[in-house]
Amino acid sequence: MDGNYERIVKKISKISGVEVDEIERRIEAKRAKLSGLISKEGAAQVVAAELGISFDNERLKIEELLPGMRKVNLVAKVVRISPIRTFKTKKGDEGKVVNLFVADDTSNIKIVLWDTNHIGLIENGKISENVSIEVSNGSMRDNELHLGSFSELKLSKEVFEEVKTGRVFSEKNIFDLKNSDYAKIRGFVVQSFEPRFFYVCPDCRKKVVQENGNFVCTEHGNVAGEKRALLNVIIDDGTETIRAVAFHDALPGLGFTDLENVEELIKQRENLLGKELLFYGNVRSNKLYNTPEFIVEKVESVDLDNLIKELEN
Ligand SMILES: [Zn+2]
């Protein structure tokens, strides 16, 4: 069981008084009934609802939050605040929105504030980086927590000694991936495509265009373009397949060390096929095809993973 799911099952057990094993049995039965069309976490929510449990007034840890949850309460530390953005509402009024990045001892999440009273707390400096906040009645949209006018936001006295601010990748099957998930997938490379090359500006890392043999950055003008590569592969973990995009820095993890030598490149692509690897990344929707794709941040060999597990035990 992965950590997130395990915590939810324990929580359901604690509130309902039903044994963990029995809850897991019910979750599996629910999934079987729905022909696996629902994720373990989703099935857990259905089972919880059937047991009459609502997480409504429960204070949850960030790790326990699931897409679709409503009336979410939590306490967390503000790590970072984005600049306040304004936009025109449908009525033609000016609306404001701001993102808070918060963390607790289990994970971190983006909170999106839409209410002008809440945003006022940031404007007047009451809520700033490093303070603790208490949130009530938020709603989960994908992997973000949204606060509207019915939500509450206030300062909390809770002190967090240590918070998890690093990216948290949850172990998932490809079938269960949702847009914007940060996930760790264990799967086989079943197809790899020709690497593609492009050039970026050395200052801002944005893509540059080639004009008369020069590289031109829209911001920095003529620059010395840096050659970068990207590779598309198809990953299969037995539950589903997904197209993955690995950019330059993730390529060595896939065994691509020499991108200039054509023969080496062919060999490296052949070696990759059928290989089982751990992929860490982010699910995004491909704008062109409107299909999910996995943006690879890091690749690890499965052996290394086993080694770490051994060390932990
Ligand atoms: Zn530039």
Side-chain angles (χ1 to χ4, degrees):
M1 281 203 289
D2 61 87
N4 191 6
Y5 172 70
E6 197 173 352
R7 288 181 68 105
I8 293 157
V9 170
K10 274 193 193 145
K11 193 129 206 160
I12 296 171
S13 168
K14 200 177 133 207
I15 301 172
S16 65
V18 177
E19 294 287 327
V20 166
D21 290 349
E22 170 60 14
I23 287 168
E24 281 198 82
R25 199 193 56 75
R26 289 191 193 188
I27 289 168
E28 281 315 314
K30 191 60 68 187
R31 285 194 86 192
K33 203 172 159 193
L34 295 165
S35 321
L37 286 168
I38 188 168
S39 67
K40 282 188 300 184
E41 288 90 345
Q45 281 203 83
V46 176
V47 168
E50 285 177 357
L51 287 165
I53 297 171
S54 86
F55 294 107
D56 286 7
N57 293 310
E58 278 286 309
R59 183 191 280 184
L60 297 173
K61 292 284 186 190
I62 295 173
E63 195 184 53
E64 294 165 335
L65 300 178
L66 295 172
M69 275 186 172
R70 298 191 174 274
K71 299 190 181 175
V72 170
N73 300 342
L74 66 87
V75 174
K77 182 177 171 181
V78 178
V79 177
R80 194 156 49 83
I81 301 174
S82 76
I84 297 165
R85 282 186 291 126
T86 55
F87 62 93
K88 277 265 177 290
T89 65
K90 278 181 194 152
K91 285 186 206 155
D93 303 333
E94 187 170 86
K96 287 183 188 173
V97 62
V98 65
N99 299 329
L100 292 185
F101 297 90
V102 304
D104 65 11
D105 52 336
T106 67
S107 190
N108 51 75
I109 194 168
K110 178 161 97 181
I111 300 183
V112 186
L113 306 181
W114 297 95
D115 184 77
T116 46
N117 293 319
H118 298 158
I119 295 171
L121 296 171
I122 290 164
E123 287 169 324
N124 68 22
K126 278 209 173 110
I127 289 181
S128 58
E129 283 170 14
N130 294 322
V131 305
S132 296
I133 54 162
E134 185 178 344
V135 165
S136 327
N137 211 8
S139 336
M140 289 293 292
R141 278 195 215 162
D142 288 332
N143 293 313
E144 298 171 351
L145 182 62
H146 286 242
L147 301 192
S149 50
F150 295 106
S151 315
E152 233 185 287
L153 171 68
K154 59 184 183 197
L155 284 172
S156 159
K157 288 204 173 75
E158 192 154 325
V159 178
F160 289 89
E161 296 293 340
E162 253 178 76
V163 290
K164 241 190 192 160
T165 52
R167 195 153 281 162
V168 179
F169 295 94
S170 46
E171 223 169 287
K172 285 214 167 177
N173 291 329
I174 295 175
F175 180 82
D176 294 327
L177 291 177
K178 295 211 173 55
N179 205 17
S180 81
D181 273 353
Y182 281 95
K184 172 180 168 186
I185 317 172
R186 180 175 179 160
F188 292 93
V189 177
V190 291
Q191 204 178 338
S192 74
F193 298 86
E194 193 87 38
R196 281 191 278 143
F197 296 96
F198 59 98
Y199 291 85
V200 297
C201 167
D203 294 329
C204 63
R205 323 303 301 171
K206 281 187 193 134
K207 220 166 170 174
V208 292
V209 289
Q210 266 174 293
E211 279 173 20
N212 310 321
N214 293 321
F215 296 109
V216 183
C217 170
T218 48
E219 207 176 312
H220 298 100
N222 278 4
V223 290
E226 266 178 34
K227 193 175 180 180
R228 313 291 283 171
L230 77 79
L231 180 79
N232 282 296
V233 295
I234 307 284
I235 313 171
D236 189 335
D237 72 348
T239 67
E240 185 61 279
T241 61
I242 193 165
R243 176 186 285 263
V245 188
F247 287 93
H248 210 80
D249 297 334
L251 291 180
L254 284 166
F256 284 82
T257 45
D258 191 350
L259 295 163
E260 300 299 331
N261 184 329
V262 179
E263 273 174 45
E264 271 301 308
L265 210 53
I266 293 170
K267 221 190 279 171
Q268 288 168 354
R269 267 185 68 191
E270 277 172 2
N271 287 342
L272 191 55
L273 284 181
K275 212 170 185 185
E276 188 182 23
L277 293 162
L278 295 169
F279 298 87
Y280 297 81
N282 180 216
V283 183
R284 280 195 226 155
S285 176
N286 180 304
K287 289 196 180 76
L288 206 56
Y289 304 106
N290 199 25
T291 51
E293 63 182 12
F294 196 65
I295 310 298
V296 178
E297 218 163 271
K298 187 171 72 170
V299 183
E300 274 176 7
S301 73
V302 172
D303 309 339
L304 181 64
D305 187 54
N306 288 336
L307 189 69
I308 292 165
K309 271 190 190 138
E310 272 172 33
L311 288 173
E312 279 172 348
N313 289 335

